[in-house]
Amino acid sequence: MDEACISKECLNSTGFSYTLSLISGKYKMTILYTLMRFGVVRFNEMKRYIGGISYKTLSATLKELEADQLVHREEYPQIPPKVEYSLTERGRSLIPILDGMCDWGEQNRL
């Protein structure tokens, strides 16, 4: 592999930077992990599972993930309203990364 010259490079133009822009944020990876582990999840189930996240933050973060096409939101026209979240195909393509993080954590937990 050729050694890169840092003076000719820019982090913002890398795939790493793009990926980080999609998944950075206090709860994004936690939400993605939750959906990877449980598949289809309702809003309140996710809120209870994650704990410590406000309704406002969970809602805003889910909207960001949906806008980035990582999460699918399915709303059912009934009373009371029923909304379910799941990973899109694009979101599922992050599963190997999430699995790798889980494996690393299990192997390196102190």
Side-chain angles (χ1 to χ4, degrees):
M1 183 168 137
D2 292 333
E3 194 170 313
C5 179
I6 195 165
S7 64
K8 298 177 184 175
E9 300 291 332
C10 177
L11 181 63
N12 289 338
S13 64
T14 64
F16 173 81
S17 180
Y18 176 71
T19 304
L20 198 58
S21 75
L22 296 179
I23 63 173
S24 65
K26 186 171 181 180
Y27 291 103
K28 284 186 177 181
M29 291 295 289
T30 304
I31 291 168
L32 293 170
Y33 169 79
T34 302
L35 294 173
M36 176 191 80
R37 187 159 193 288
F38 297 104
V40 178
V41 180
R42 294 180 69 175
F43 184 91
N44 284 330
E45 293 172 329
M46 192 175 311
K47 167 86 172 76
R48 276 191 301 277
Y49 178 73
I50 294 172
I53 186 172
S54 70
Y55 287 102
K56 182 179 177 181
T57 300
L58 179 57
S59 179
T61 306
L62 283 165
K63 285 178 184 173
E64 289 175 22
L65 290 167
E66 186 180 8
D68 291 332
Q69 300 175 342
L70 298 174
V71 169
H72 172 71
R73 180 181 191 269
E74 186 72 36
E75 187 173 345
Y76 297 93
Q78 64 186 49
I79 297 175
K82 178 181 174 183
V83 179
E84 295 178 333
Y85 295 90
S86 60
L87 292 176
T88 63
E89 188 62 37
R90 186 174 194 216
R92 284 191 295 277
S93 71
L94 288 169
I95 288 176
I97 295 168
L98 296 169
D99 280 339
M101 291 176 67
C102 292
D103 292 344
W104 188 92
E106 290 298 325
Q107 293 169 9
N108 292 280
R109 188 186 313 207
L110 299 177

